[in-house]
Amino acid sequence: MSSIKCIGILTSGGDAPGMNAAIRAVTRSAIYNGMEVKGIYRGYKGLITGEIVEFKTQNVSNIIQRGGTILKTARCMEFKTPEGRKQAYDNLLKEKIDALVTIGGDGTLSGARIFAQEFNVPVVGLPGTIDNDLFGTDVTIGYDTALNTIMECVDKIRDTASSHERLFFIEVMGRDAGFLALNGALASGAEAAIIPEISVEKDQLSEMIEQGLRKSKNSSIVLVAESEVTGGAIGVAERVKKEYPHFDVRVTILGHLQRGGSPSAQDRIMATRMGAAAIDALMEDQRNVMIGIQNEQIVYVPFSKAIRNEKPINRDLLNVLRITSI
Ligand code: F6P
């Protein structure tokens, strides 16, 4: 029998579709296992300011299909200070919260890790980010929905690109990772992807142009991962205008629309499985771990590994993209 009687749950960092499905699963699994649940609003900020509300099973009704997070989210600078974290801990004690489940990306898990170490609080993290950049899990919550959104947008841009015979650079999110750009390109049949993982090694733009964009068509679509390393879509387009002025170039930045929308079936299922697994982990006395999914199986990944290790991108996919875009 676990000694944990009450858990707190929060979402932090950039929102991701499927976070609500995760909140629902954590809440209901905890209640099912006899625990109390407290919803903490606005991420670590709400832990510091005490925006904490008791959650019953009906608090999470009718949310599995909704994008965003009903708990709201924030990036909290104060939680980066020892004083901020102490205040957060005082609120945990006041609210009689024995353990935390935090849903978010790299920054969220880094905050969870240091908090757990400083105050010896059991914390379990769920990977919630469209970027898919957390090590130890095949996918993160929100990634699949964002990929589908990108695919739908590119399909639409292709209509106008092909009518005008233009070269489009479409910038997608990912922070410093190219998962959305590479798999978004594969899913939408784009001609190429420019990703940060490769940009450090070679000039992807000149290679792409030298190899020739798709011969059978006069229009092309290239997905560019946002990042200082790639230069973003605007940076790449500027270069093309200077170095290859014969192209009729346009830029689209998909931006925050990639973060919205109703979660896909895959994200809802992942989030639900991971949410239930977070409660299992706490009952098994696991702490300071992120719940991951590897080959369809739930795994526990120590925070230190999930955060620090750079998740490798599957480079074979670049070749598949090159071959299928001739
Ligand atoms: O981490 C998720 C993410 O959407 C990144 O892809 C992007 O770089 C960043 O968040 C944008 O953050 P904000 O919403 O604070 O501008």
Side-chain angles (χ1 to χ4, degrees):
M1 181 69 190
S2 163
S3 58
I4 296 171
K5 295 195 172 47
C6 176
I7 63 140
I9 176 168
L10 61 81
T11 49
S12 160
D15 63 342
M19 278 184 164
N20 283 328
I23 295 168
R24 172 181 176 272
V26 170
T27 303
R28 294 206 168 154
S29 302
I31 293 172
Y32 177 85
N33 286 291
M35 298 173 190
E36 262 183 71
V37 179
K38 297 210 170 159
I40 302 160
Y41 282 83
R42 299 182 173 77
Y44 294 120
K45 193 164 168 236
L47 199 52
I48 294 173
T49 56
E51 268 193 278
I52 302 170
V53 171
E54 186 169 353
F55 263 31
K56 299 288 186 198
T57 170
Q58 54 273 26
N59 286 82
V60 294
S61 292
N62 202 12
I63 65 167
I64 195 169
Q65 76 283 17
R66 283 166 60 188
T69 159
I70 59 158
L71 283 173
K72 313 292 181 196
T73 186
R75 301 190 200 275
C76 178
M77 296 319 279
E78 227 184 319
F79 197 70
K80 294 194 172 165
T81 67
E83 299 75 27
R85 290 193 294 273
K86 172 72 175 62
Q87 217 169 321
Y89 180 63
D90 289 345
N91 275 327
L92 270 196
L93 294 181
K94 193 168 135 209
E95 294 285 340
K96 298 192 169 37
I97 295 172
D98 306 308
L100 274 182
V101 177
T102 62
I103 309 170
D106 199 63
T108 306
L109 298 188
S110 304
R113 182 178 181 221
I114 183 159
F115 188 65
Q117 280 168 349
E118 271 175 357
F119 299 104
N120 198 23
V121 177
V123 186
V124 169
L126 295 188
T129 166
I130 64 164
D131 300 338
N132 196 32
D133 59 349
L134 290 166
F135 185 87
T137 186
D138 294 342
V139 285
T140 55
I141 297 166
Y143 173 61
D144 183 63
T145 308
L147 263 184
N148 279 290
T149 303
I150 291 168
M151 183 184 74
E152 284 164 22
C153 291
V154 177
D155 287 352
K156 290 193 164 76
I157 291 170
R158 187 178 286 290
D159 289 345
T160 177
S162 103
S163 303
H164 285 267
E165 303 185 309
R166 283 174 170 156
L167 166 58
F168 262 85
F169 290 105
I170 303 177
E171 182 174 302
V172 301
M173 280 187 169
R175 203 178 290 273
D176 301 313
F179 296 98
L180 286 171
L182 180 52
N183 284 305
L186 279 173
S188 58
E191 277 58 46
I194 296 185
I195 58 173
E197 290 85 346
I198 307 293
S199 290
V200 286
E201 290 162 26
K202 60 179 175 197
D203 184 349
Q204 294 171 92
L205 175 66
S206 53
E207 188 179 88
M208 184 183 93
I209 298 208
E210 270 148 37
Q211 279 170 0
L213 286 162
R214 196 170 176 180
K215 305 276 188 317
S216 56
K217 282 212 298 187
N218 291 326
S219 69
S220 296
I221 290 184
V222 177
L223 263 61
V224 183
E226 63 166 1
S227 152
E228 274 178 26
V229 190
T230 62
I234 294 178
V236 176
E238 290 299 321
R239 266 193 66 193
V240 173
K241 280 183 201 157
K242 266 196 221 126
E243 296 170 34
Y244 312 95
H246 56 286
F247 284 108
D248 187 8
V249 179
R250 291 292 185 277
V251 167
T252 304
I253 297 175
L254 296 185
H256 285 81
L257 75 80
Q258 294 163 93
R259 288 232 298 256
S262 178
S264 65
Q266 175 166 328
D267 273 329
R268 296 182 199 195
I269 295 165
M270 288 294 166
T272 301
R273 288 183 64 192
M274 287 180 176
I279 299 303
D280 290 343
L282 286 170
M283 289 194 305
E284 289 165 21
D285 280 330
Q286 292 280 343
R287 43 174 66 204
N288 306 346
V289 292
M290 177 192 84
I291 305 295
I293 297 225
Q294 289 175 15
N295 299 322
E296 281 298 309
Q297 300 301 315
I298 292 283
V299 290
Y300 300 150
V301 188
F303 282 155
S304 51
K305 280 201 176 157
I307 303 160
R308 290 271 166 87
N309 287 296
E310 233 158 70
K311 183 171 179 174
I313 201 144
N314 182 351
R315 285 165 182 250
D316 295 347
L317 299 184
L318 278 168
N319 205 29
V320 175
L321 182 60
R322 203 169 49 80
I323 293 168
T324 52
S325 63
I326 55 169

